[in-house]
Amino acid sequence: HVQLVESGGGSAQAGGSLRLSCVASGFAVSDHCMGWFRQGPGKEREGVAAFDYGIKYYMESVKGRFTISQDNAKNTVYLQMNSLKPEDTAMYSCAAVSKGIWYDGRLSPYEYKFWGEGTQVTVS
């Protein structure tokens, strides 16, 4: 019953914007740390942004360009991506964990228990 479903991916030109959505079911996003991760061609999966009790975390390369937000009423997490660059091209996945140990911080994929299938973002 626990599901995370991403949407909003697609193609954008460099400098453009996209907004990704992650709709959760089977649990409340308000009681979890939520994260966005991405994996580009030939690259390792990396943590993009996380939201935990109102605190936001970002990888260095997206600071000032991407914004993570949460709508508890809709049980949805968003990733607003502005000033897109070709290097942002990747499969973006949403993830959640109720109680993280945080050995490696909130952008570590190993902390997260629930994962969505992902949505593709292509920037040309």
Side-chain angles (χ1 to χ4, degrees):
H1 290 275
V2 173
Q3 280 193 338
L4 293 169
V5 180
E6 303 96 333
S7 63
S11 298
Q13 294 187 349
S17 298
L18 288 172
R19 188 179 75 161
L20 307 184
S21 298
C22 173
V23 180
S25 59
F27 70 95
V29 300
S30 60
D31 295 329
H32 287 68
C33 178
M34 305 297 299
W36 284 99
F37 297 82
R38 70 185 185 187
Q39 186 168 23
K43 297 183 178 181
E44 297 289 328
R45 181 171 58 185
E46 57 188 355
V48 178
F51 188 104
D52 191 10
Y53 291 103
I55 306 299
K56 300 176 181 180
Y57 306 81
Y58 299 98
M59 64 181 298
E60 189 66 29
S61 66
V62 308
K63 288 181 178 178
R65 300 191 298 121
F66 291 10
T67 303
I68 188 170
S69 61
Q70 190 167 293
D71 187 333
N72 293 334
K74 296 181 178 180
N75 213 32
T76 299
V77 178
Y78 305 94
L79 184 67
Q80 178 67 46
M81 304 186 294
N82 298 327
S83 301
L84 284 164
K85 303 176 180 179
E87 52 261 44
D88 295 320
T89 296
M91 179 70 72
Y92 284 73
S93 299
C94 179
V97 63
S98 59
K99 296 180 180 179
I101 304 301
W102 309 125
Y103 288 129
D104 299 306
R106 286 168 173 79
L107 298 181
S108 171
Y110 302 106
E111 299 283 353
Y112 292 80
K113 182 177 181 179
F114 307 118
W115 291 83
E117 294 291 326
T119 184
Q120 179 67 38
V121 171
T122 302
V123 183
S124 60

